[in-house]
Amino acid sequence: MKRKILLLAAVVMCVSIIASGTLAYFTSEDEVHNVITTNAVDIQIEEWQETENGLVPYPKDNPIAVMPGATVSKIATVKNIEAEAYIRAKFEVVVTGADGGIMELSPETLTSIVTLTMNDESWLRKDDDGEWWYYNVPVEVGASTEAFFTEVVFDGSNITNEYQNCTVEITVKAQGVQTANNGSNVMEAAGWPVE
């Protein structure tokens, strides 16, 4: 009897081992890999000059020689490359003296000798945002803004001999943020890059 119980126990044990091995075949594992692609905001500053031959790219490598009282055509726009975007831009004017050093000029002095003809119909300013100008409508993919400014004016009466052989450089900086889920207009938009 003892032998039968032992044999029965051995058989039950074997069946258990076989059953547990069989159960392993009924388990399953799965992994889901979701890919979410986001759009990017990509913009490009364009600079043009109005000539007798029409609109041409602004000459970057050949500085334009000017005399006091001159007005130079320089048209800056911002092109949107990818994803509808709100655009803002600012400019900086730097005067380099004949000795090659940057001239330290007060904002008042600088604006008395060099001014830009701004497009203040298409570009707006926030009272609390200093130098930035905001383009008043979203810019579609592949489209460009209206001109940010169109001319650089050198005031003849304020450009004295100390400015002979100087170089004036105007640098434009622009930023773009998505329009999707980002306010109802450019003035409400958030997420502008930190400088």
Side-chain angles (χ1 to χ4, degrees):
M1 180 79 175
K2 212 174 194 191
R3 212 171 204 205
K4 278 188 178 182
I5 293 177
L6 237 94
L7 186 57
L8 187 57
V11 170
V12 169
M13 199 173 196
C14 285
V15 170
S16 297
I17 291 171
I18 291 170
S20 68
T22 304
L23 288 177
Y25 291 107
F26 294 136
T27 63
S28 177
E29 198 172 305
D30 194 10
E31 182 177 319
V32 176
H33 183 71
N34 292 317
V35 176
I36 299 172
T37 304
T38 59
N39 283 341
V41 174
D42 189 11
I43 59 173
Q44 177 182 355
I45 297 170
E46 303 172 310
E47 293 184 308
W48 306 95
Q49 185 174 42
E50 188 67 53
T51 67
E52 55 196 36
N53 298 324
L55 205 60
V56 297
Y58 193 81
K60 294 187 186 311
D61 298 329
N62 298 327
I64 297 172
V66 297
M67 295 296 285
T71 298
V72 176
S73 171
K74 183 176 175 82
I75 302 164
T77 61
V78 182
K79 183 173 185 173
N80 185 11
I81 308 298
E82 187 177 349
E84 183 180 77
Y86 293 123
I87 305 288
R88 73 177 183 175
K90 68 178 180 175
F91 65 89
E92 179 182 21
V93 179
V94 175
V95 179
T96 303
D99 63 357
I102 294 176
M103 298 179 77
E104 298 295 329
L105 303 173
S106 70
E108 295 78 21
T109 301
L110 190 57
T111 57
S112 74
I113 61 171
V114 180
T115 56
L116 278 64
T117 305
M118 304 301 295
N119 177 353
D120 56 7
E121 290 180 17
S122 298
W123 293 83
L124 313 170
R125 295 182 84 174
K126 284 184 182 179
D127 293 335
D128 62 346
D129 207 5
E131 305 166 327
W132 288 103
W133 292 71
Y134 294 80
Y135 192 62
N136 63 1
V137 294
V139 182
E140 299 288 331
V141 176
S144 295
T145 64
E146 294 293 322
F148 179 37
F149 55 84
T150 56
E151 304 176 313
V152 182
V153 180
F154 296 89
D155 190 322
S157 60
N158 291 320
I159 298 179
T160 58
N161 284 340
E162 68 181 302
Y163 299 108
Q164 284 188 38
N165 296 314
C166 288
T167 303
V168 176
E169 185 176 351
I170 299 164
T171 304
V172 178
K173 182 176 184 178
Q175 296 179 337
V177 295
Q178 70 186 45
T179 58
N181 304 313
N182 195 9
S184 62
N185 62 59
V186 69
M187 296 303 192
E188 294 176 5
W192 296 105
V194 179
E195 293 186 75

